[in-house]
């Protein structure tokens, strides 16, 4: 069994308007030392998944079913108290907005010390030294002085570094980064991505990076999972997803982005329509109202949810089009327009 | 995009300093030099992109141009009229010709007004009478931006982010303005929706002969929609050029660093790319570094960069840059070595005295 394995995870929230199926049957596996990128638009269920793995939906109104296996332990059926002992130590999270994820009343050092001492029976002085070490390692200048600074005294990039130091304080084996660079400028984003890559190699941890930016996942991820409407619609290695994508939604994402590495195209090719409401997910394939290839499925797309099937060597696609049709469309229709000047 | 030479907007030496006050008597102890001497022209029918990191003054520039705030110094000339210190009353008629698209479609629409009231507001405020009434005019605009005219009586919360941004654009277009300032028009939207709005902005420009100033931090979006691009750093323009030229052969080291920091969705290249990694953060605009403001983070910085401010000079036709040691020029032999520059602590990183001026 893999280090982290999700089996048919479902996280549903009952609301006054109906049942919100944020995550609806998600399965994937991740090994130590590997990076998984989860890509999707807002409301696709990517953040809910990460909070679910950390057990942060326990005790709330969420209805969780399925299995989450972390290093041989099942977490969905585990008690909240037990998951709490794992959180921070075995798995940790880097949040999108470090200003709201850190406590404004406590110094950065105090917050790292607190996290460390919950899991390690050491004195304050030892923990403080550990915090200074970590701040130095994530590239904060003069860590012995900055350890006593408050979060507001740090710039955005430094706060994100401090956040990473906090997440790393107990050497977690699973690190989840939810939009870690979305709030940062490009030059700082590049610094943080480099840092995360280096630290992962050093700690040999499993990393899940959640983002809407395909550029960021292309930089870091070994494997990529594309989510839409609470389900995985395509999964594969980074080169599968970027060089041989087979799902119309993935094509749409690639066509929507203006790219600096290619000649400027005259027009972007957006996906029509808007992402679905999770209360009222379209019948059949959730993407069918926005899909240009829906007519080629003989109406199957509107009635039946396609299965997530393997096309080749671990590349999974959830689509009613046949493998040959998809490859034909990609090679003859999509790829030329993406690469044309 | 029609390329006439008539400039619609002309900005000269524009400055905005926000005072920092202290104590009981609000004594001024300093100033945030948000915009510190900008000069540029916007030609009729073109799209000028303004890019830069957060805090470089691009949003302040947008607000100055639309005169939502008053400049500390400098001149803003719109259609031959100096509007830099015009009173709000005198400005009102001009507002018909100059409109703004805001970043956040959630906070820029009044939640208690219907779409009809929001898009119809410009007609009401400017006292514009249309032939078949305001309602008809509003519905035509809604259709133009790709919304259903029957949504006239709905409220903003009934729409998605992308649709809300379209409502904002519809309001902007209501009185057929000449100049539109778009401040981060797509950054709050999902990727697939971003592309829809970018295409919409381009279509509207072709249809209505609009002039855009687009403020954004996303360099790939800016390249896609702009004819010319101005790169800002700490309240100044460091480089301004034709979009194709700027992205192909940037002259300023900062532009080069910005471009190389953009993550590219290409797995094959991730190991091959030569990256320039800027160290540290942008210095504070309260006390910007002297002379060339970029010297604290620049790997090419020499003594002269710390003492003499480089002027914004036209090195190539239509390509202005403010740098003593520009990149991609005949003098610049080979690619620059990405040497770690000084951190945010200031000048201490590089030993002074190494003067190697380029003749």
């Amino acid at each position: 069994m893999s280090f982290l394995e999700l089996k048919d995870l479902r996280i549903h929230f009952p609301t006054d308007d109906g049942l919100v199926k944020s995550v609806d049957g998600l399965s994937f596996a991740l090994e130590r030392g590997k990076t998984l990128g989860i890509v999707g638009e807002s409301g696709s269920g990517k953040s809910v998944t990460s909070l679910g793995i950390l057990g942060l939906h326990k005790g709330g109104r969420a209805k969780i079913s399925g299995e989450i296996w972390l290093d041989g332990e099942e977490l969905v059926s585990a008690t909240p108290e037990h998951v709490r002992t794992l959180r921070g130590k075995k798995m940790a999270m880097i949040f999108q907005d470090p200003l709201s994820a850190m406590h404004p009343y406590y110094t950065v050092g105090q917050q790292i010390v607190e996290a460390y001492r919950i899991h390690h029976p050491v004195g304050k002085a030892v923990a403080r030294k550990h915090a200074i070490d970590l701040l130095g390692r994530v590239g904060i200048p003069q860590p012995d002085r900055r350890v006593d600074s408050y979060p507001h005294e740090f710039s955005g990039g430094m706060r994100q570094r401090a956040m990473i130091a906090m997440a790393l304080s107990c050497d977690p084996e699973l690190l989840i980064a939810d939009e870690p660079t979305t709030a940062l400028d490009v030059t700082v984003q590049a610094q943080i991505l480099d840092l995360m890559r280096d630290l992962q190699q050093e700690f040999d941890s499993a990393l899940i990076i959640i983002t809407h930016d395909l550029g960021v996942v292309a930089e870091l991820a070994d494997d990529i999972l594309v989510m839409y409407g609470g389900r995985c619609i395509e999964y594969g290695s980074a080169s599968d997803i970027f060089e041989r994508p087979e799902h119309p939604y993935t094509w749409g994402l690639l066509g929507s982005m203006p790219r600096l590495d290619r000649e400027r195209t005259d027009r972007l090719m957006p996906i029509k329509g808007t992402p679905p409401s999770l209360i009222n997910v379209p019948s059949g394939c959730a993407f069918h109202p926005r899909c240009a290839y829906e007519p080629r499925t003989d109406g199957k797309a509107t009635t039946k949810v396609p299965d997530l099937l393997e096309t080749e060597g671990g590349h999974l696609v959830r689509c009613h089009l046949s493998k040959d049709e998809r490859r034909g469309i990609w090679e003859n229709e999509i790829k030329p327009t993406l690469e044309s000047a | 995009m029609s390329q006439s030479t008539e400039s619609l907007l002309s900005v000269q030496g524009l400055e905005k300093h926000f005072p920092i006050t202290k104590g009981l008597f609000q004594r001024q102890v300093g100033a945030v030099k948000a915009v510190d001497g900008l000069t540029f022209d916007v030609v009729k029918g073109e799209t000028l992109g303004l890019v830069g990191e957060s805090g470089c003054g691009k949003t302040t520039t947008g607000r100055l141009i639309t005169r939502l705030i008053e400049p500390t110094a400098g001149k803003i000339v719109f259609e031959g009229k100096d509007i830099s210190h015009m009173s709000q009353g005198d400005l009102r008629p001009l507002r018909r010709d100059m409109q703004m698209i805001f970043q956040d479609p959630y906070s820029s629409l009044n939640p208690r007004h219907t779409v009809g009231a929001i898009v119809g507001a410009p007609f009401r405020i400017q006292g514009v009478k249309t032939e078949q009434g305001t309602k008809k005019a509003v519905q035509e605009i809604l259709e133009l931006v790709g919304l259903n005219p029957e949504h006239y009586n709905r409220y903003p919360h009934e729409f998605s982010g992308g649709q809300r941004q379209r409502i904002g654009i519809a309001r902007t277009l209501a009185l057929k303005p000449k100049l539109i300032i778009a401040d981060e028009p797509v950054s709050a939207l999902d990727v697939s929706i971003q592309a829809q709005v970018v295409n919409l902005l381009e279509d509207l420009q072709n249809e209505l002969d609009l002039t855009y100033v687009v403020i954004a931090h996303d360099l790939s979006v800016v390249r896609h929609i702009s004819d010319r691009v101005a790169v800002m750093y700490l309240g100044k323009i460091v480089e301004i050029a034709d979009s194709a030229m700027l992205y192909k052969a940037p002259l300023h080291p900062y532009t080069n660093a910005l471009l190389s920091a953009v993550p590219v969705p290409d797995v094959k290249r991730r190991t091959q790319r030569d990256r320039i990694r800027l160290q540290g953060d942008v210095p504070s605009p309260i006390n910007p570094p002297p002379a060339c403001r970029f010297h604290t983070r620049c790997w090419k910085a020499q003594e002269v960069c710390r003492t003499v401010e480089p002027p914004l000079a036209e090195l190539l036709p239509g390509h202005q840059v403010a740098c003593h040691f520009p990149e991609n020029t005949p003098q610049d032999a080979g690619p620059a070595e990405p040497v770690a520059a000084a951190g945010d602590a200031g000048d201490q990183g590089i030993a002074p005295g190494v003067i190697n001026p380029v003749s």
Side-chain angles (χ1 to χ4, degrees):
Chain A
M1 176 172 277
S2 303
F3 173 65
L4 173 72
E5 210 165 317
L6 266 64
K7 286 184 184 163
D8 198 34
L9 181 71
R10 285 165 206 269
I11 304 177
H12 296 176
F13 297 91
T15 67
D16 291 347
D17 297 325
L19 191 66
V20 176
K21 296 177 178 174
S22 289
V23 181
D24 204 23
L26 186 68
S27 307
F28 65 81
L30 180 64
E31 298 293 347
R32 277 195 185 84
K34 291 282 179 198
T35 303
L36 173 72
I38 301 184
V39 184
E41 295 180 272
S42 47
S44 61
K46 50 197 198 309
S47 293
V48 172
T49 306
S50 64
L51 296 177
I53 296 171
L54 286 173
L56 292 172
H57 289 306
K58 282 178 183 288
R61 287 164 53 128
K63 290 196 162 55
I64 308 173
S65 66
E67 295 165 33
I68 300 170
W69 290 87
L70 178 72
D71 205 10
E73 268 186 275
E74 210 286 306
L75 300 184
V76 173
S77 57
T79 61
E81 290 73 28
H82 180 64
V83 177
R84 192 175 172 171
T85 61
L86 300 175
R87 198 159 49 225
K89 189 166 171 58
K90 195 132 196 162
M91 52 192 183
M93 180 134 175
I94 299 167
F95 292 93
Q96 171 173 3
D97 180 3
L99 193 58
S100 54
M102 285 177 135
H103 200 300
Y105 275 13
Y106 295 94
T107 64
V108 170
Q110 282 170 327
Q111 298 184 52
I112 300 176
V113 164
E114 182 194 6
Y116 189 64
R117 289 187 71 203
I118 284 174
H119 298 288
H120 296 88
V122 295
K124 273 189 188 160
V126 179
R128 186 183 148 91
K129 206 173 158 292
H130 182 68
I132 294 172
D133 269 0
L134 280 168
L135 288 176
R137 196 130 98 212
V138 296
I140 288 180
Q142 299 171 300
D144 49 330
R145 276 177 49 201
R146 293 306 239 163
V147 73
D148 293 320
S149 301
Y150 288 91
H152 75 266
E153 298 175 285
F154 279 17
S155 67
M158 277 173 40
R159 266 199 296 267
Q160 196 58 284
R161 284 171 193 268
M163 217 20 224
I164 293 174
M166 201 185 299
L168 291 175
S169 64
C170 299
D171 297 339
E173 291 164 70
L174 171 66
L175 195 57
I176 303 177
D178 189 355
E179 303 268 9
T181 58
T182 306
L184 306 174
D185 282 316
V186 273
T187 57
V188 181
Q189 165 171 292
Q191 293 169 9
I192 297 290
L193 293 180
D194 279 352
L195 174 69
M196 290 183 40
R197 188 183 300 124
D198 293 347
L199 290 172
Q200 192 204 11
Q201 278 168 6
E202 191 183 327
F203 287 87
D204 196 35
S205 50
L207 177 65
I208 298 179
I209 179 157
I210 295 168
T211 176
H212 65 276
D213 187 337
L214 286 170
V216 170
V217 285
E219 293 272 329
L220 283 181
D222 299 303
D223 293 323
I224 294 169
L225 192 157
V226 185
M227 280 187 88
Y228 189 81
R231 296 197 185 99
C232 166
I233 53 108
E234 186 161 8
Y235 176 90
S237 68
S239 48
D240 283 341
I241 300 293
F242 284 104
E243 283 156 31
R244 303 174 283 282
E246 291 199 20
H247 198 284
Y249 177 63
T250 316
W251 300 336
L253 284 181
L254 290 169
S256 298
M257 319 173 52
R259 295 175 60 154
L260 283 184
D261 58 330
R262 301 261 166 88
E263 289 295 312
R264 186 187 173 282
T265 48
D266 270 349
R267 273 182 88 72
L268 299 174
M269 294 180 299
I271 308 171
K272 64 178 182 187
T274 52
S277 141
L278 290 173
I279 292 178
N280 213 345
V281 180
S283 64
C285 173
F287 186 61
H288 86 260
R290 304 177 72 189
C291 183
Y293 306 98
E294 185 264 325
R296 302 195 197 182
T297 62
D298 305 323
K300 258 195 295 182
T302 54
T303 51
K304 187 178 170 295
V305 179
D307 294 317
L308 189 65
L309 297 174
E310 180 160 2
T311 66
E312 203 176 328
H315 186 176
L316 310 175
V317 184
R318 192 189 284 277
C319 184
H320 281 304
L321 298 171
S322 74
K323 187 164 135 184
D324 295 333
E325 272 178 301
R326 292 192 304 253
R327 294 203 168 156
I329 295 171
W330 166 249
E331 287 295 334
N332 304 323
E333 297 176 36
I334 310 289
K335 203 174 164 193
T337 51
L338 286 180
E339 287 176 358
S340 69
Chain B
M1 282 139 228
S2 60
Q3 285 302 329
S4 58
T5 46
E6 190 191 341
S7 73
L8 183 67
L9 176 82
S10 168
V11 171
Q12 286 146 28
L14 190 65
E15 282 181 23
K16 179 70 194 177
H17 296 179
F18 294 101
I20 306 165
T21 54
K22 209 175 177 181
L24 182 62
F25 299 107
Q26 298 288 297
R27 186 165 47 88
Q28 187 176 339
V29 292
V32 177
K33 294 171 184 139
V35 170
D36 207 16
L38 295 188
T39 301
F40 61 87
D41 280 346
V42 183
V43 178
K44 226 171 170 169
E46 77 165 348
T47 303
L48 176 74
L50 273 182
V51 287
E53 292 178 277
S54 47
C56 73
K58 49 191 197 303
T59 294
T60 306
T61 308
R63 291 175 173 249
L64 283 168
I65 297 170
T66 41
R67 271 303 315 280
L68 295 175
I69 49 178
E70 191 164 348
T72 311
K75 234 167 106 174
I76 307 165
V77 179
F78 178 68
E79 286 203 297
K81 279 191 218 89
D82 184 350
I83 59 164
S84 19
H85 299 285
M86 214 178 241
S87 71
Q88 288 301 325
D90 291 341
L91 271 170
R92 184 143 300 146
L94 288 176
R95 295 236 182 266
R96 285 182 67 164
D97 293 333
M98 156 163 95
Q99 286 284 327
M100 194 147 179
I101 299 174
F102 295 95
Q103 171 173 12
D104 183 358
Y106 292 87
S107 59
S108 59
L109 303 177
N110 189 333
R112 298 168 75 146
H113 287 183
T114 62
V115 171
I118 289 169
V119 179
F123 293 98
R124 194 163 38 80
I125 292 166
Q126 294 283 352
V128 176
K129 296 274 178 294
T130 47
E131 270 174 45
Q132 291 158 305
T134 309
K135 182 170 178 181
K136 183 90 180 102
V138 168
Q139 288 185 327
E140 273 169 18
I141 298 160
L142 289 179
E143 197 148 18
L144 183 70
V145 299
L147 290 170
N148 188 342
E150 284 159 26
H151 292 168
Y152 186 84
N153 282 320
R154 295 206 183 174
Y155 288 90
H157 74 261
E158 297 174 64
F159 294 90
S160 67
Q163 287 174 312
R164 280 162 177 254
Q165 198 58 306
R166 286 173 194 263
I167 298 171
I169 292 172
R171 173 176 61 186
T172 305
L173 291 174
L175 299 176
K176 307 266 181 304
K178 292 174 183 148
L179 176 69
I180 291 180
I181 317 284
D183 189 358
E184 302 275 8
V186 297
S187 62
L189 307 174
D190 272 319
V191 190
S192 68
I193 310 299
Q194 268 189 12
Q196 293 174 1
V197 173
V198 166
N199 281 352
L200 173 68
L201 289 174
E202 286 184 335
D203 293 343
L204 291 172
Q205 181 168 44
N206 294 336
E207 218 164 298
L208 305 173
D209 196 23
L210 299 170
T211 307
Y212 289 135
V213 174
V214 177
I215 298 162
H217 69 278
D218 186 331
L219 290 142
S220 24
V221 168
V222 167
R223 177 175 86 153
H224 189 83
I225 51 182
S226 306
D227 301 312
R228 283 195 308 143
V229 176
V231 182
M232 287 185 70
Y233 188 74
L234 276 177
K236 282 190 188 295
I237 291 180
V238 294
E239 184 165 7
I240 179 164
D242 187 79
S243 162
M245 272 205 283
L246 186 116
Y247 281 87
K248 207 167 163 202
L251 295 182
H252 200 284
Y254 178 62
T255 314
N256 207 356
L258 268 186
L259 290 177
S260 87
V262 176
V264 164
D266 189 340
V267 189
K268 273 181 281 182
R269 289 207 203 173
R270 92 171 128 190
T271 45
Q272 302 165 7
R273 289 174 73 208
D274 267 343
R275 276 280 176 84
I276 301 165
R277 283 284 185 263
L278 287 184
Q279 304 295 308
D281 296 307
V282 183
S284 155
I286 297 173
N287 193 8
C292 175
R293 296 186 169 187
F294 186 57
H295 80 249
T296 55
R297 299 171 84 194
C298 184
W299 61 95
K300 292 179 129 184
Q302 309 278 349
E303 188 56 34
V304 61
C305 303
R306 274 171 280 250
T307 48
V308 182
E309 176 161 1
L312 191 65
E314 191 158 350
L315 286 197
L316 297 168
H319 197 149
Q320 289 175 291
V321 65
C323 182
H324 291 299
F325 306 102
E327 310 247 290
N328 294 318
T329 52
Q331 292 105 311
D332 187 53
E337 286 288 313
V339 181
D344 55 344
D347 307 5
Q348 65 199 15
I350 304 161
V354 198
I355 305 167
N356 183 18
V358 185
S359 53

